[in-house]
Amino acid sequence: DVKVTQSSRYLVKRTGEKVFLECVQDMDHENMFWYRQDPGLGLRLIYFSYDVKMKEKGDIPEGYSVSREKKERFSLILESASTNQTSMYLCASRRGGYTEAFFGQGTRLTVV
Amino acid sequence: DQQVKQNSPSLSVQEGRISILNCDYTNSMFDYFLWYKKYPAEGPTFLISISSIKDKNEDGRFTVFLNKSAKHLSLHIVPSQPGDSAVYFCAARTEGEKLVFGKGTKLTVNP
């Protein structure tokens, strides 16, 4: 079974803090994704990585950056957290060229 | 501008009846469409997909229909069960291999 693990289920951070959300997959997948889910807005793509050190902006990259130094790990960085980044963050991975992506359990981030 | 649209935020059906969830899209270059199911506080799980060259794909109680001329797809669940109550997301794969999602439809199956 594919396993996508996000480092925290719940996080509370203060405004202005630098926040790291970590995601690890164990299936040697090339593609990895970060989404955020908000009520009424669905899943919106923040960043996509198609291989190690390769990344593309999604629909809402502002205020975020990513790092993919190793194939199994994809990190989402909030450079200076703001209250409008309070959300559910979902990481996914997928074998390159395939369709189905596998999701982690999500991280509920609250910025106060 | 949203490329994948689910215009019904919610749907309620009786157990044993058919559930039909709808999805419209604008980008004719999408090559695959997928449906995901999501329970609260969990990540989405994959249900079924369809290639843009097909018009139907079936897997047990779940069938997805694709109408390319109308840029419309639908997910049929027959018979619906209370355990099917969840949020259903329609997604599409772009030519750049990104996955874009709709806003979701909350399905409630009443016993």
Side-chain angles (χ1 to χ4, degrees), chain B residues 42-88:
Chain B
E42 292 184 14
T45 53
F46 171 76
L47 268 178
I48 191 169
S49 64
I50 187 167
S51 163
S52 60
I53 63 172
K54 306 273 188 181
D55 55 19
K56 179 182 174 181
N57 189 25
E58 194 170 351
D59 184 3
R61 295 187 298 115
F62 302 92
T63 303
V64 57
F65 296 92
L66 175 62
N67 182 335
K68 281 190 72 174
S69 60
K71 293 193 174 71
H72 177 83
L73 64 153
S74 59
L75 174 68
H76 292 211
I77 306 173
V78 183
S80 302
Q81 299 172 354
D84 295 329
S85 297
V87 177
Y88 289 77

Side-chain angles (χ1 to χ4, degrees), chain A residues 1 9-11 21 25 49 54 68 71 76 106 108:
Chain A
D1 268 0
R9 290 296 301 268
Y10 301 95
L11 271 181
L21 302 183
Q25 50 95 2
S49 169
M54 310 299 265
R68 185 128 182 245
K71 197 172 190 179
L76 179 69
R108 169 72 64 185

Side-chain angles (χ1 to χ4, degrees), chain A residues 9 35 37 57 94 98 101, chain B residues 36 38 41 93 97 99:
Chain A
R9 290 296 301 268
Y35 292 88
Q37 183 195 3
K57 292 180 180 179
R94 182 185 66 194
Y98 282 55
Chain B
Y36 279 81
K38 186 179 185 300
R93 192 176 78 168
E97 295 216 34
L99 276 182

